Amino acid sequence: MTQTVSQLTELAEYPADWSHQPKEIFPGDPLVLSGACLKWYDIRRPEVAATPEVSSEAREFLSAEVAAGRLEFRKEMGFVLLHRDGAKYFMLVCVWRDKNEMWQGLYYKDDAGFLPYPPKPGFLRPTQCVMELDATSHERRAWSRYLRSDRKTAAKQAYLDDACTGELV
């Protein structure tokens, strides 16, 4: 059944002074951890300076999480999105599990460092913003190409080399 205009007027209302701003994605060197090889991406507004020290901190954090047994990989490939949103950082760790499923863990950074993102009440949970979904869409297509390949070493390398770049909207 189609919504009428009167039924839509109160849905998805945002302040008039807010505007959707694109961001850019910057691929980094893959992160190799025990049981995983993950593509690395930094996401930020184009006019915002890179923060390599935060990227290094995030990489060290994930290595420590794996070493402590709090983050387990099963000989998987995937990707990390380190998303700078103003002064905040969110880190999405995504792996391809059970052949064609994307599994995701979410972290955020505060003054103490990176922490697991706390669950929200209710059934629905935040997963990805539209910019992160844009990057994930690229990764989904790249993984599908890998699944349709012979899945040997060259195909794995082709997946790693297939980086998302440019503007995310």
Side-chain angles (χ1 to χ4, degrees):
M1 177 177 241
T2 305
Q3 295 284 329
T4 67
V5 175
S6 65
Q7 292 170 312
L8 297 176
T9 56
E10 293 182 15
L11 303 177
E13 291 291 318
Y14 304 110
D17 62 346
W18 182 85
S19 66
H20 179 69
Q21 299 293 316
K23 294 191 178 175
E24 288 192 19
I25 188 165
F26 302 89
D29 293 332
L31 178 61
V32 179
L33 299 166
S34 179
C37 182
L38 306 171
K39 293 182 186 184
W40 190 272
Y41 295 106
D42 289 299
I43 298 172
R44 65 181 184 276
R45 297 277 315 261
E47 70 276 5
V48 173
T51 51
E53 65 281 359
V54 175
S55 294
S56 293
E57 179 186 351
R59 287 170 174 267
E60 291 168 12
F61 169 79
L62 291 176
S63 295
E65 288 295 282
V66 170
R70 290 184 294 268
L71 180 58
E72 179 188 350
F73 296 112
R74 303 175 187 168
K75 298 181 182 178
E76 299 161 314
M77 297 181 78
F79 58 98
V80 174
L81 303 175
L82 181 59
H83 185 171
R84 183 174 181 181
D85 186 19
K88 299 176 188 173
Y89 288 87
F90 298 94
M91 182 168 51
L92 293 76
V93 179
C94 304
V95 293
W96 300 109
R97 194 168 275 180
D98 297 332
K99 301 173 199 79
N100 62 0
E101 295 177 358
M102 186 187 85
W103 287 46
Q104 175 182 294
L106 177 60
Y107 299 92
Y108 73 101
K109 183 179 182 339
D110 72 4
D111 293 337
F114 284 93
L115 298 164
Y117 194 83
K120 301 289 183 185
F123 181 73
L124 297 177
R125 304 276 192 269
T127 56
Q128 295 188 9
C129 76
V130 294
M131 273 75 75
E132 295 158 352
L133 284 169
D134 202 4
T136 298
S137 182
H138 172 94
E139 287 300 309
R140 183 204 58 79
R141 289 187 303 275
W143 190 249
S144 288
R145 284 189 289 279
Y146 170 73
L147 292 176
R148 291 189 314 265
S149 75
D150 64 10
R151 297 179 302 281
K152 294 188 178 176
T153 301
K156 292 173 188 175
Q157 188 63 53
Y159 169 73
L160 288 176
D161 293 342
D162 187 352
C164 183
T165 59
E167 185 177 74
L168 303 175
V169 292

